[in-house]
Amino acid sequence: PISSIIWGFDDTLIEINSTMAYQYTIRDLQIVSVSPKSSTSRAIVIRDGYWGLLQRVMIYADTEANGGAAIHLAGMQSGCTLRDVHIWQAQYYALQIDGGAEIRIEGGRWVGQRARLTHGIVLTQQTFL
């Protein structure tokens, strides 16, 4: 079974940081954006994540005008996996990664918008391999 969240406001929907949850899992979740978003709005923000898993997550906008940024892995990440994550109509970027020791992306599909410049993966700091 999939849980659905209707995202109807212009701000971050879900934010997790390492002080709240050292290990985290977000699984079988659908997020639908139904109102316009600014460039600072994100569906999911994970700050300094450790041993995290996003699995079978779908983020999409009901129209091109309502797409926001999808996932931001903020700060330093370690041992994070995105598995079968599907993103449609992200307005600014599908995935932004600030830095990380081990980030895995397995499967999934990211589709931008036709009418706007949309980035798939944005690396904003040097990552350490």
Side-chain angles (χ1 to χ4, degrees):
I2 293 178
S3 298
S4 294
I5 297 175
I6 305 299
W7 184 20
F9 58 92
D10 184 22
D11 203 352
T12 297
L13 178 64
I14 298 170
E15 185 166 349
I16 297 172
N17 63 53
S18 60
T19 59
M20 294 169 44
Y22 185 73
Q23 297 178 348
Y24 63 89
T25 298
I26 299 174
R27 179 181 289 151
D28 299 322
L29 178 64
Q30 172 180 274
I31 296 171
V32 183
S33 177
V34 297
S35 65
K37 305 293 183 282
S38 66
S39 62
T40 58
S41 294
R42 290 136 173 84
I44 300 172
V45 175
I46 299 170
R47 297 194 183 281
D48 300 317
Y50 297 96
W51 304 114
L53 173 65
L54 275 71
Q55 182 173 353
R56 293 185 304 271
V57 173
M58 175 186 277
I59 302 170
Y60 70 95
D62 62 347
T63 66
E64 284 191 1
N66 293 338
I71 300 170
H72 184 185
L73 300 179
M76 184 59 84
Q77 306 292 316
S78 180
C80 299
T81 301
L82 284 76
R83 182 177 296 134
D84 297 325
V85 173
H86 298 268
I87 300 169
W88 275 278
Q89 308 229 42
Q91 187 171 348
Y92 304 100
Y93 57 81
L95 173 63
Q96 179 176 343
I97 302 171
D98 287 350
E102 179 184 358
I103 299 171
R104 296 179 183 194
I105 301 171
E106 302 171 359
R109 183 174 181 201
W110 302 340
V111 179
Q113 296 185 359
R114 292 177 294 175
R116 292 186 176 93
L117 177 63
T118 303
H119 302 285
I121 299 175
V122 178
L123 302 175
T124 57
Q125 294 179 0
Q126 182 178 0
T127 55
F128 304 98
L129 301 176

